[in-house]
Amino acid sequence: MQDVQVWAERRGLTEHIPIIRKGALVAQNPANIRNIDGEERLTDIEVEVLEREVTHRWRMPRKLLMTILTCSIGAAVQGWDQTGSNGANLWFPNYYGIGSHSTHDRILVGIVNAGPYIGSAFLGCWLSDPINNYFGRRGVIFISAHFCIWPVIGSAFCHTWEQQLACRLLMGVGMGVKASTVPIYAAENAPASIRGALVMSWQMWTAFGIFLGTAFNLAVYHVADINWRLMLGAPFLPAVPLLLLIYTCPESPRWLMKKNRYPEAWKSMSQLRFDQIQVARDMYYISAQLEIEDRLIGQTNYVTRFTQLFTVPRVRRANIAAFTVMIAQQMCGINIIAFYSTTVFSEAGMSDFRAMLGSFGFGLVNWVFAFPAFWTIDTFGRRSLLLFTFPQMTWTLLAAGLCTLISPDLQTLRTGLVCLFVFLFGAFYSPGEGPVPFTYSAEVYPLSHRETGMGFAVATCLFWAAVLSTSFPFLLDRLQTVGAFGLYAGFNVAAFIMIFFLVPETKQRTLEELDYVFAVPLRKFAGYQISTALPWWIKRYIFWQRDAKLKPLYEFDNIASPSSHSDIESPSEGERKTS
């Protein structure tokens, strides 16, 4: 308890020492809170509050709800930004003089569509770390909202493809900064028991933004001459409430603590938790982890933090896992639908209006089927969702492509089956590879590298989105729909194998506890999957041996201190080894 007193005095929290002493004991052994005695014995109210975190985990303070709402609006901006060009693809290439089927024009159309992702991958994501450092999470989101308003409005008034590309590149800067920050902001503010579900709201509301975009595109279809301009300019609308609401939310306590602003962090955390015992527990635990990270990694700058993503073993393992789930989002083929569904449906023989109606249906399916992930992501886990949904996305995408080979004489059957399998693909994507990448990447990095790591992960995702968006019109022209869909079905198989060997489970672990998960070398993790997890799965689900037992890879006696006989390395040991 003397250490607690010194810690509180050093951090300017002297007035909170009695509750911090209690919080430190709770952080040390959360499963034993009823047995704490002496002066630090918890009151009945404090015990009830802590137990209700488990029994009533969806009950949240008002400010936490406001924070999640604001983050959700930020995600909707991201989704709508993606779909403006989806419908406009039917008109703007001809208006800009790049509507022929030549390779040159096909690639130019792809580059214009890819503009936001090029801007994100090459500039926006990399600005995330330095501007987070100076302006905090809220400041970054406020700045990004401006980039999602003014260039988007400008895109509705462009007269050449070069002007359109410039506006979309600027929009991409805002998208990259926002996508690198909003999931971190949500993860840092959310309790561990529901962190996955709250952070995955990024994907659910991105899907909602896609749905809104497709609905708006459909609504303005018959507005002659300017319909495509309205489609490109409308995505600025949800960015306005984002701009207005972000400073009504508390700043991330973890960011404030990283800046040694503990009294402000206490006030911020108090708005995000019901009781001071939760505030004391979380702040004491986070501070202890920050001190460990500082001893292990030391003082760093942007360049060294980026270098350490690939050199420090614990950080490198997290980086590989985040890279894997992010690139898998592009390998699965979702964005060939999100970017070009109207074009794909048109190529399948639909009229322009019916093609846009098909895109609207896909947007609706993508959003509705994101809802189950609120429950499944923290129940079945991130890894399990991915390993289940990738095989389903493989066969549905392949089936959709094969259905385009049906004779044009059976046009109604042909288009109906193509839509069915594309919708099934979206239904499997939405609760799996949809929410997991941003949730996962926001939680796996240590606080010292969170902005840099998330920037790298999002840049990975959006860079390959740019490659996909640029190349798909060319692929569609050369391989036709069946060849393009077949290619991405193969990519799904490759992504499944990568996830199986490289992505550990992180469900319901505190952000700080994940240090122990990523202390396990990749060689050991991959060996466990082959020698232990896979045989158990075959026994349990192929041969239905209900008594089959899975030997765990990780053993946690309690959150605060791993057991001495745990089969993972302590962080200090792990950092001295290579994977």
Side-chain angles (χ1 to χ4, degrees):
M1 287 297 106
Q2 184 61 37
D3 290 341
V4 175
Q5 176 118 3
V6 172
W7 177 84
E9 292 173 351
R10 194 169 72 243
R11 304 302 185 188
L13 300 173
T14 307
E15 61 185 297
H16 303 295
I17 286 177
I19 194 67
I20 292 173
R21 290 163 68 94
K22 292 183 178 183
L25 291 174
V26 173
Q28 185 179 29
N29 194 349
N32 200 37
I33 58 175
R34 287 187 174 274
N35 296 324
I36 298 173
D37 54 18
E39 294 181 3
E40 287 75 37
R41 181 181 178 85
L42 303 188
T43 66
D44 291 342
I45 293 177
E46 290 167 342
V47 170
E48 181 183 0
V49 166
L50 294 173
E51 290 181 343
R52 285 176 72 87
E53 286 183 324
V54 178
T55 60
H56 296 75
R57 59 179 183 163
W58 289 102
R59 186 168 170 263
M60 292 175 282
R62 185 177 61 85
K63 280 292 185 179
L64 181 55
L65 286 170
M66 175 61 76
T67 299
I68 299 305
L69 171 64
T70 305
C71 291
S72 300
I73 293 172
V77 175
Q78 202 86 355
W80 199 338
D81 283 341
Q82 292 180 15
T83 52
S85 64
N86 187 324
N89 277 327
L90 296 176
W91 293 279
F92 82 74
N94 290 329
Y95 182 88
Y96 292 147
I98 53 174
S100 74
H101 287 276
S102 69
T103 300
H104 173 269
D105 283 359
R106 286 283 188 170
I107 290 177
L108 282 182
V109 170
I111 290 174
V112 172
N113 276 293
Y117 307 99
I118 296 171
S120 296
F122 289 100
L123 187 58
C125 294
W126 303 112
L127 289 174
S128 176
D129 183 286
I131 64 177
N132 262 285
N133 186 49
Y134 288 108
F135 298 106
R137 311 293 189 230
R138 296 184 303 173
V140 170
I141 296 170
F142 181 81
I143 293 169
S144 71
H146 282 283
F147 279 89
C148 294
I149 293 176
W150 311 116
V152 177
I153 293 174
S155 69
F157 297 94
C158 294
H159 293 285
T160 66
W161 69 263
E162 292 92 345
Q163 293 172 353
Q164 186 65 239
L165 177 60
C167 286
R168 292 178 67 77
L169 287 170
L170 287 173
M171 178 176 71
V173 173
M175 288 174 62
V177 172
K178 176 160 54 65
S180 302
T181 303
V182 171
I184 291 177
Y185 182 57
E188 291 180 341
N189 289 349
S193 60
I194 56 172
R195 186 183 65 244
L198 291 185
V199 178
M200 70 77 48
S201 66
W202 168 265
Q203 172 57 30
M204 196 194 78
W205 293 108
T206 297
F208 180 67
I210 292 173
F211 167 66
L212 281 180
T214 56
F216 183 88
N217 292 351
L218 193 63
V220 301
Y221 175 84
H222 292 294
V223 180
D225 299 328
I226 63 168
N227 50 6
W228 63 274
R229 292 189 180 277
L230 295 174
M231 293 175 191
L232 290 171
F236 89 91
L237 292 171
V240 175
L242 176 66
L243 190 77
L244 298 176
L245 287 176
I246 187 59
Y247 275 104
T248 67
C249 303
E251 181 56 90
S252 163
R254 283 179 171 86
W255 183 84
L256 292 169
M257 292 170 70
K258 185 178 177 182
K259 294 298 181 180
N260 205 29
R261 293 158 59 177
Y262 278 75
E264 294 175 64
W266 186 280
K267 293 178 182 178
S268 182
M269 185 73 82
S270 296
Q271 298 179 68
L272 297 166
R273 301 292 184 266
F274 281 113
D275 194 271
Q276 296 291 287
I277 187 67
Q278 298 168 300
V279 176
R281 174 200 61 191
D282 291 349
M283 286 194 57
Y284 188 76
Y285 193 18
I286 295 166
S287 179
Q289 192 63 28
L290 284 172
E291 291 175 5
I292 292 172
E293 290 176 5
D294 188 58
R295 288 199 302 271
L296 290 174
I297 300 171
Q299 297 299 314
T300 60
N301 56 40
Y302 184 42
V303 175
T304 57
R305 285 194 297 275
F306 180 78
T307 303
Q308 288 169 347
L309 294 179
F310 307 94
T311 58
V312 175
R314 180 265 183 263
V315 184
R316 182 175 67 244
R317 292 169 196 135
N319 199 44
I320 290 171
F323 171 86
T324 300
V325 296
M326 282 294 194
I327 197 171
Q329 190 173 73
Q330 303 308 320
M331 293 172 71
C332 78
I334 183 61
N335 282 332
I336 65 176
I337 310 298
F339 300 163
Y340 293 107
S341 59
T342 304
T343 304
V344 167
F345 289 137
S346 180
E347 293 277 339
M350 295 184 181
S351 67
D352 287 350
F353 183 74
R354 285 183 176 271
M356 295 195 68
L357 197 61
S359 293
F360 170 77
F362 173 77
L364 180 60
V365 167
N366 191 34
W367 177 49
V368 169
F369 280 88
F371 279 92
F374 268 113
W375 291 270
T376 57
I377 197 166
D378 282 319
T379 303
F380 297 105
R382 291 77 158 133
R383 174 182 167 86
S384 299
L385 284 174
L386 296 180
L387 293 178
F388 171 74
T389 54
F390 263 93
Q392 318 312 321
M393 290 190 290
T394 301
W395 72 262
T396 51
L397 199 60
L398 186 60
L402 291 173
C403 285
T404 63
L405 299 178
I406 295 174
S407 170
D409 296 334
L410 302 171
Q411 185 62 39
T412 301
L413 175 65
R414 177 185 181 185
T415 57
L417 288 176
V418 170
C419 286
L420 171 65
F421 287 115
V422 167
F423 292 170
L424 283 173
F425 171 82
F428 285 118
Y429 167 83
S430 291
E433 182 60 19
V436 168
F438 283 86
T439 302
Y440 194 90
S441 300
E443 67 190 3
V444 297
Y445 292 101
L447 182 57
S448 56
H449 291 69
R450 196 158 292 159
E451 298 95 338
T452 311
M454 188 64 177
F456 172 78
V458 175
T460 297
C461 180
L462 298 183
F463 170 76
W464 290 105
V467 172
L468 181 152
S469 185
T470 303
S471 63
F472 189 71
F474 177 78
L475 284 176
L476 192 63
D477 190 53
R478 295 297 185 270
L479 302 180
Q480 304 303 310
T481 304
V482 63
F485 277 26
L487 178 64
Y488 277 92
F491 289 160
N492 272 278
V493 175
F496 175 87
I497 295 170
M498 291 166 62
I499 290 164
F500 184 79
F501 286 111
L502 299 175
V503 179
E505 183 56 77
T506 61
K507 72 170 182 176
Q508 294 189 5
R509 296 296 182 192
T510 65
L511 295 177
E512 289 68 38
E513 189 179 14
L514 292 175
D515 279 348
Y516 296 105
V517 171
F518 288 101
V520 176
L522 283 178
R523 193 179 300 110
K524 182 175 182 179
F525 176 79
Y528 171 84
Q529 304 308 319
I530 288 291
S531 63
T532 304
L534 183 59
W536 168 82
W537 189 89
I538 293 173
K539 290 177 183 177
R540 179 67 181 81
Y541 296 104
I542 302 297
F543 296 109
W544 294 101
Q545 297 180 12
R546 296 187 179 277
D547 58 345
K549 301 295 182 183
L550 176 63
K551 179 183 176 183
L553 177 60
Y554 315 108
E555 297 175 7
F556 294 96
D557 283 347
N558 53 61
I559 292 178
S561 57
S563 63
S564 58
H565 58 274
S566 171
D567 64 353
I568 70 167
E569 310 156 26
S570 68
S572 57
E573 294 169 337
E575 301 305 338
R576 292 195 297 268
K577 297 184 178 181
T578 58
S579 58

